[in-house]
Coordinates of all heavy atoms in Angstrom, one line a residue:
L25 N 0.8 -1.2 0.0 CA 0.0 0.0 0.0 C 0.9 1.2 0.0 O 1.9 1.3 0.6 CB -0.9 0.0 1.2 CG -2.0 -1.1 1.3 CD1 -2.6 -1.1 2.7 CD2 -3.0 -0.9 0.3
S26 N 0.4 2.3 -0.6 CA 1.1 3.5 -0.7 C 0.9 4.3 0.6 O -0.2 4.3 1.2 CB 0.5 4.4 -1.8 OG 1.1 5.6 -1.8
R27 N 1.9 4.9 1.1 CA 1.9 5.7 2.3 C 2.4 7.1 2.0 O 3.5 7.4 2.1 CB 2.7 5.1 3.4 CG 2.2 3.8 3.8 CD 3.1 3.1 4.9 NE 2.7 1.8 5.0 CZ 2.6 1.1 6.2 NH1 2.9 1.8 7.3 NH2 2.2 -0.1 6.3
P28 N 1.4 8.0 1.5 CA 1.9 9.3 1.1 C 2.5 10.1 2.2 O 2.0 10.0 3.4 CB 0.6 9.9 0.5 CG -0.5 9.1 1.1 CD 0.0 7.8 1.4
E29 N 3.5 10.9 1.9 CA 4.1 11.7 2.9 C 4.6 13.0 2.2 O 4.8 13.0 1.0 CB 5.3 11.0 3.6 CG 6.4 10.6 2.6 CD 7.5 9.8 3.3 OE1 7.2 9.2 4.4 OE2 8.6 9.7 2.8
L30 N 4.7 14.0 3.0 CA 5.2 15.3 2.6 C 6.6 15.4 3.1 O 6.9 15.2 4.3 CB 4.4 16.5 3.2 CG 4.9 17.9 3.0 CD1 4.9 18.2 1.5 CD2 4.1 18.9 3.8
V31 N 7.6 15.7 2.2 CA 9.0 15.8 2.5 C 9.4 17.2 2.1 O 9.3 17.6 1.0 CB 9.8 14.7 1.9 CG1 11.3 14.9 2.2 CG2 9.3 13.3 2.2
V32 N 10.0 17.9 3.1 CA 10.5 19.2 2.8 C 12.0 19.2 3.2 O 12.3 18.9 4.3 CB 9.7 20.3 3.7 CG1 10.3 21.7 3.4 CG2 8.2 20.3 3.4
E33 N 12.8 19.6 2.3 CA 14.2 19.7 2.5 C 14.7 21.1 2.2 O 14.2 21.7 1.3 CB 15.0 18.7 1.6 CG 14.7 17.3 1.9 CD 15.5 16.3 1.1 OE1 16.8 16.3 1.3 OE2 14.9 15.6 0.3
G34 N 15.7 21.6 3.1 CA 16.2 22.9 2.8 C 17.6 23.0 3.4 O 18.1 22.1 4.1
G35 N 18.3 24.0 3.0 CA 19.6 24.2 3.5 C 20.0 25.7 3.3 O 19.4 26.4 2.6
A36 N 21.1 26.0 4.0 CA 21.7 27.4 3.9 C 23.1 27.3 4.2 O 23.6 26.4 4.8 CB 20.9 28.2 4.9
Q37 N 23.8 28.3 3.6 CA 25.2 28.6 4.0 C 25.3 30.0 4.4 O 24.8 30.9 3.8 CB 26.1 28.3 2.8 CG 26.2 26.9 2.4 CD 27.1 26.6 1.2 OE1 27.3 27.5 0.4 NE2 27.7 25.5 1.2
A38 N 26.0 30.3 5.5 CA 26.0 31.6 6.1 C 27.1 31.6 7.2 O 27.7 30.6 7.5 CB 24.7 32.0 6.7
P39 N 27.4 32.8 7.7 CA 28.3 32.9 8.9 C 27.9 31.9 10.0 O 26.7 31.7 10.3 CB 28.2 34.3 9.3 CG 27.9 35.1 8.1 CD 26.9 34.1 7.4
A40 N 28.8 31.2 10.5 CA 28.5 30.1 11.5 C 27.7 30.5 12.6 O 26.7 29.9 13.0 CB 29.9 29.5 12.0
Q41 N 28.0 31.7 13.2 CA 27.2 32.2 14.4 C 25.7 32.4 14.0 O 24.8 32.1 14.8 CB 27.8 33.4 15.0 CG 29.0 33.2 15.8 CD 28.8 32.2 17.0 OE1 29.5 31.2 17.1 NE2 27.8 32.5 17.9
K42 N 25.4 32.9 12.8 CA 24.1 33.1 12.4 C 23.3 31.7 12.2 O 22.2 31.6 12.6 CB 24.0 33.9 11.1 CG 24.3 35.3 11.4 CD 24.0 36.2 10.1 CE 24.3 37.6 10.4 NZ 23.9 38.5 9.4
L43 N 24.0 30.7 11.6 CA 23.4 29.4 11.5 C 23.2 28.7 12.8 O 22.1 28.1 13.0 CB 24.2 28.5 10.5 CG 24.0 28.9 9.0 CD1 24.8 27.9 8.2 CD2 22.6 28.9 8.6
L44 N 24.1 28.9 13.7 CA 23.9 28.3 15.0 C 22.7 28.9 15.7 O 21.9 28.2 16.3 CB 25.2 28.4 15.8 CG 26.3 27.5 15.4 CD1 27.6 27.9 16.1 CD2 26.0 26.0 15.7
A45 N 22.6 30.2 15.6 CA 21.5 30.9 16.3 C 20.2 30.5 15.6 O 19.2 30.2 16.4 CB 21.7 32.4 16.1
Y46 N 20.2 30.3 14.3 CA 18.9 29.9 13.6 C 18.6 28.5 14.1 O 17.4 28.2 14.4 CB 19.1 29.9 12.1 CG 18.0 29.3 11.4 CD1 16.8 30.0 11.2 CD2 18.0 28.0 10.9 CE1 15.7 29.5 10.6 CE2 16.9 27.4 10.3 CZ 15.8 28.2 10.1 OH 14.7 27.6 9.4
A47 N 19.5 27.6 14.1 CA 19.3 26.2 14.5 C 18.7 26.1 15.9 O 17.8 25.3 16.2 CB 20.6 25.3 14.4
N48 N 19.2 26.9 16.8 CA 18.8 27.0 18.2 C 17.4 27.6 18.4 O 16.7 27.4 19.4 CB 19.8 27.7 19.1 CG 21.0 26.8 19.5 OD1 20.8 25.6 19.7 ND2 22.1 27.4 19.4
A49 N 17.0 28.4 17.4 CA 15.6 29.0 17.4 C 14.5 28.3 16.7 O 13.4 28.6 16.8 CB 15.8 30.4 16.8
T50 N 14.9 27.2 16.0 CA 13.8 26.5 15.3 C 13.0 25.6 16.2 O 13.5 25.2 17.3 CB 14.5 25.5 14.2 OG1 15.2 24.5 14.8 CG2 15.3 26.3 13.2
P51 N 11.8 25.2 15.8 CA 11.0 24.3 16.7 C 11.7 22.9 16.9 O 11.4 22.3 17.9 CB 9.7 24.1 15.8 CG 9.6 25.3 15.0 CD 11.0 25.7 14.7
A52 N 12.6 22.6 16.0 CA 13.3 21.3 16.2 C 14.4 21.4 17.2 O 15.0 20.3 17.6 CB 14.0 20.9 14.8
A53 N 14.7 22.6 17.8 CA 15.8 22.7 18.7 C 15.6 21.9 20.0 O 16.6 21.4 20.6 CB 16.0 24.2 19.1
H54 N 14.4 21.6 20.4 CA 14.2 20.8 21.6 C 14.7 19.4 21.4 O 15.0 18.7 22.4 CB 12.8 20.8 22.1 CG 11.8 20.1 21.3 ND1 11.2 20.6 20.1 CD2 11.3 18.8 21.4 CE1 10.4 19.6 19.6 NE2 10.5 18.6 20.4
H55 N 14.8 18.9 20.2 CA 15.3 17.6 19.9 C 16.8 17.5 20.1 O 17.4 16.5 20.2 CB 15.0 17.1 18.5 CG 13.5 16.9 18.2 ND1 12.8 15.9 18.8 CD2 12.6 17.6 17.5 CE1 11.6 15.9 18.5 NE2 11.4 17.0 17.7
L56 N 17.5 18.7 20.1 CA 18.9 18.8 20.2 C 19.4 18.7 21.6 O 20.6 18.6 21.9 CB 19.4 20.1 19.5 CG 19.1 20.2 18.0 CD1 19.6 21.6 17.6 CD2 19.9 19.2 17.2
A57 N 18.5 18.8 22.5 CA 18.8 18.8 24.0 C 19.9 19.7 24.3 O 20.8 19.4 25.1 CB 19.1 17.4 24.4
G58 N 20.0 20.9 23.7 CA 21.0 21.9 24.0 C 22.3 21.6 23.4 O 23.3 22.3 23.8
A59 N 22.4 20.7 22.5 CA 23.8 20.3 22.0 C 24.5 21.4 21.3 O 25.7 21.5 21.3 CB 23.6 19.1 21.0
L60 N 23.7 22.4 20.7 CA 24.4 23.5 20.0 C 24.5 24.7 20.8 O 25.1 25.7 20.4 CB 23.6 23.8 18.7 CG 23.6 22.6 17.7 CD1 22.9 23.0 16.4 CD2 25.1 22.2 17.3
Q61 N 23.8 24.8 22.0 CA 23.9 26.0 22.8 C 25.3 26.1 23.4 O 25.9 25.2 23.9 CB 22.8 25.9 23.9 CG 21.5 26.0 23.3 CD 20.4 26.4 24.3 OE1 20.7 26.5 25.5 NE2 19.2 26.6 23.9
G62 N 25.7 27.4 23.4 CA 27.0 27.7 24.0 C 28.2 27.5 23.0 O 29.3 27.8 23.3
I63 N 27.9 26.9 21.8 CA 29.0 26.7 20.8 C 29.2 28.1 20.1 O 28.3 28.8 19.8 CB 28.6 25.7 19.8 CG1 28.5 24.3 20.4 CG2 29.5 25.7 18.6 CD1 28.0 23.2 19.4
T64 N 30.5 28.4 20.0 CA 30.9 29.6 19.2 C 31.7 29.1 18.0 O 32.4 28.1 18.1 CB 31.6 30.6 20.1 OG1 32.8 30.0 20.6 CG2 30.8 31.1 21.2
A65 N 31.6 29.8 16.9 CA 32.4 29.5 15.8 C 32.6 30.7 14.9 O 31.8 31.7 15.0 CB 31.7 28.4 14.9
S66 N 33.7 30.8 14.2 CA 33.9 31.8 13.2 C 34.0 31.2 11.9 O 34.0 30.0 11.7 CB 35.3 32.5 13.6 OG 36.3 31.6 13.4
G67 N 33.9 32.0 10.9 CA 33.9 31.5 9.5 C 32.5 31.2 9.0 O 31.5 31.6 9.6
N68 N 32.4 30.4 8.0 CA 31.1 30.0 7.4 C 30.7 28.6 7.9 O 31.6 27.8 8.3 CB 31.2 30.1 5.9 CG 31.3 31.5 5.4 OD1 30.7 32.4 5.9 ND2 32.2 31.8 4.4
A69 N 29.5 28.3 7.7 CA 28.9 27.0 8.0 C 27.8 26.7 7.0 O 27.3 27.5 6.3 CB 28.4 27.0 9.5
A70 N 27.4 25.4 7.0 CA 26.3 24.9 6.2 C 25.3 24.2 7.1 O 25.7 23.5 8.0 CB 26.9 24.0 5.1
L71 N 24.0 24.5 6.8 CA 22.9 23.9 7.5 C 22.1 23.1 6.5 O 21.8 23.6 5.5 CB 22.1 25.0 8.2 CG 20.7 24.6 8.8 CD1 21.0 23.8 10.1 CD2 19.9 25.8 9.1
A72 N 21.7 21.9 6.9 CA 20.8 21.1 6.1 C 19.7 20.6 7.0 O 19.9 20.1 8.1 CB 21.5 19.9 5.5
M73 N 18.4 20.7 6.6 CA 17.3 20.2 7.4 C 16.3 19.4 6.5 O 16.2 19.7 5.3 CB 16.6 21.3 8.1 CG 17.4 22.0 9.1 SD 16.5 23.2 10.1 CE 15.8 22.1 11.3
K74 N 15.7 18.4 7.1 CA 14.7 17.6 6.3 C 13.5 17.3 7.3 O 13.7 16.8 8.4 CB 15.3 16.3 5.8 CG 14.3 15.4 5.1 CD 15.0 14.1 4.6 CE 14.1 13.2 3.9 NZ 14.8 12.0 3.4
L75 N 12.3 17.6 6.8 CA 11.1 17.3 7.5 C 10.3 16.3 6.8 O 10.0 16.5 5.6 CB 10.3 18.6 7.7 CG 8.9 18.5 8.3 CD1 9.0 18.1 9.8 CD2 8.2 19.9 8.2
T76 N 9.9 15.2 7.4 CA 9.1 14.1 6.8 C 7.8 14.0 7.5 O 7.8 13.7 8.7 CB 9.9 12.8 6.7 OG1 11.1 13.0 6.1 CG2 9.1 11.7 6.0
L77 N 6.7 14.2 6.9 CA 5.4 14.1 7.5 C 4.5 13.1 6.8 O 4.1 13.3 5.7 CB 4.7 15.5 7.5 CG 5.3 16.6 8.2 CD1 4.6 17.9 7.9 CD2 5.4 16.4 9.7
P78 N 4.2 11.9 7.4 CA 3.3 11.0 6.9 C 1.9 11.6 6.9 O 1.4 12.0 8.0 CB 3.4 9.7 7.8 CG 4.5 10.1 8.8 CD 4.8 11.5 8.7
L79 N 1.3 11.7 5.8 CA 0.0 12.4 5.7 C -1.1 11.8 6.5 O -2.0 12.4 7.0 CB -0.4 12.6 4.3 CG 0.5 13.4 3.4 CD1 0.0 13.6 2.0 CD2 0.8 14.8 4.0
A80 N -1.1 10.5 6.7 CA -2.1 9.8 7.5 C -1.9 9.9 9.0 O -2.8 9.6 9.8 CB -2.2 8.3 7.0
R81 N -0.6 10.2 9.4 CA -0.2 10.2 10.8 C 0.8 11.4 11.0 O 2.0 11.1 11.3 CB 0.3 8.9 11.3 CG -0.7 7.8 11.3 CD -0.3 6.5 12.0 NE 0.3 6.7 13.3 CZ -0.3 6.7 14.4 NH1 -1.6 6.6 14.4 NH2 0.3 6.9 15.6
I82 N 0.3 12.6 10.9 CA 1.2 13.7 11.0 C 2.0 13.7 12.3 O 3.1 14.1 12.4 CB 0.4 15.1 11.0 CG1 -0.2 15.2 9.6 CG2 1.2 16.3 11.3 CD1 0.8 15.4 8.5
Q83 N 1.4 13.2 13.4 CA 2.1 13.1 14.7 C 3.3 12.3 14.7 O 4.2 12.3 15.6 CB 1.1 12.6 15.8 CG 0.7 11.2 15.7 CD -0.6 11.0 14.8 OE1 -0.9 11.9 14.0 NE2 -1.3 9.9 15.0
D84 N 3.5 11.4 13.6 CA 4.7 10.6 13.5 C 5.8 11.3 12.6 O 6.7 10.6 12.2 CB 4.3 9.2 12.9 CG 3.5 8.4 13.8 OD1 3.5 8.6 15.0 OD2 2.8 7.5 13.3
G85 N 5.6 12.6 12.4 CA 6.6 13.3 11.6 C 8.0 13.2 12.2 O 8.2 13.0 13.4
Q86 N 9.0 13.4 11.3 CA 10.4 13.3 11.7 C 11.1 14.5 11.2 O 10.8 15.0 10.1 CB 11.0 12.0 11.2 CG 10.4 10.8 11.8 CD 11.1 9.5 11.2 OE1 11.7 9.5 10.2 NE2 11.0 8.4 12.0
V87 N 12.1 14.9 12.0 CA 13.0 16.0 11.6 C 14.4 15.5 11.6 O 14.8 14.9 12.6 CB 12.8 17.2 12.6 CG1 13.8 18.3 12.2 CG2 11.4 17.8 12.6
A88 N 15.2 15.8 10.6 CA 16.6 15.5 10.6 C 17.4 16.7 10.1 O 16.8 17.6 9.4 CB 16.9 14.3 9.6
G89 N 18.6 16.9 10.6 CA 19.3 18.0 10.2 C 20.8 17.9 10.6 O 21.2 17.0 11.4
S90 N 21.6 18.8 10.0 CA 23.0 18.8 10.3 C 23.5 20.2 10.2 O 23.0 21.0 9.4 CB 23.8 17.9 9.4 OG 23.7 18.3 8.1
V91 N 24.6 20.5 10.9 CA 25.3 21.8 10.8 C 26.7 21.4 10.6 O 27.3 20.7 11.4 CB 25.1 22.7 12.1 CG1 26.0 23.9 12.0 CG2 23.7 23.0 12.3
E92 N 27.3 21.9 9.5 CA 28.7 21.6 9.2 C 29.6 22.9 9.6 O 29.3 23.9 9.0 CB 28.9 21.3 7.8 CG 30.3 20.9 7.4 CD 30.4 20.5 5.9 OE1 29.5 20.0 5.4 OE2 31.5 20.8 5.4
L93 N 30.5 22.7 10.4 CA 31.4 23.8 10.9 C 32.8 23.6 10.4 O 33.7 24.0 11.0 CB 31.4 23.9 12.4 CG 30.0 24.1 13.1 CD1 30.1 23.9 14.6 CD2 29.4 25.4 12.7
A94 N 33.0 23.0 9.3 CA 34.3 22.7 8.7 C 35.1 24.0 8.6 O 34.6 25.0 8.1 CB 34.2 22.0 7.4
G95 N 36.4 23.9 9.0 CA 37.3 25.1 8.8 C 37.1 26.2 9.8 O 37.6 27.3 9.6
N96 N 36.3 26.0 10.9 CA 36.1 27.0 11.9 C 37.0 26.8 13.0 O 37.6 25.8 13.3 CB 34.7 26.9 12.3 CG 33.7 27.6 11.4 OD1 33.6 28.7 11.3 ND2 33.1 26.7 10.5
D97 N 37.2 27.9 13.8 CA 38.0 27.9 15.0 C 37.2 27.4 16.2 O 36.0 27.6 16.3 CB 38.5 29.3 15.4 CG 39.4 29.8 14.2 OD1 40.0 29.0 13.6 OD2 39.5 31.0 14.1

């Protein structure tokens, strides 16, 4: 049987501090359990996020994401 779902993917590249602030301000931040709070970085970073919502059971939705801080201090 088909299980339709809505999948939204997005990403951004920006100064690391701005992306960290954004990641901490999103509704998904509570899943991070504070893992990104207090982190400081200079330079640029990349953010990727994916939201998957099964249309028949929205409450089973999943969020995945990553922040890449390569080349930062």
Side-chain angles (χ1 to χ4, degrees):
L25 295 169
S26 175
R27 296 178 190 220
E29 59 186 19
L30 172 65
V31 178
V32 179
E33 294 184 62
Q37 292 183 329
Q41 281 304 123
K42 287 188 177 189
L43 282 183
L44 287 169
Y46 174 79
N48 282 318
T50 66
H54 74 277
H55 293 290
L56 299 173
L60 297 179
Q61 291 199 355
I63 291 178
T64 60
S66 61
N68 292 318
L71 170 71
M73 295 189 83
K74 180 179 179 180
L75 173 65
T76 304
L77 299 172
L79 298 180
R81 293 189 50 88
I82 294 294
Q83 67 273 21
D84 291 339
Q86 297 181 336
V87 177
S90 64
V91 175
E92 182 179 330
L93 303 172
N96 283 280
D97 298 331

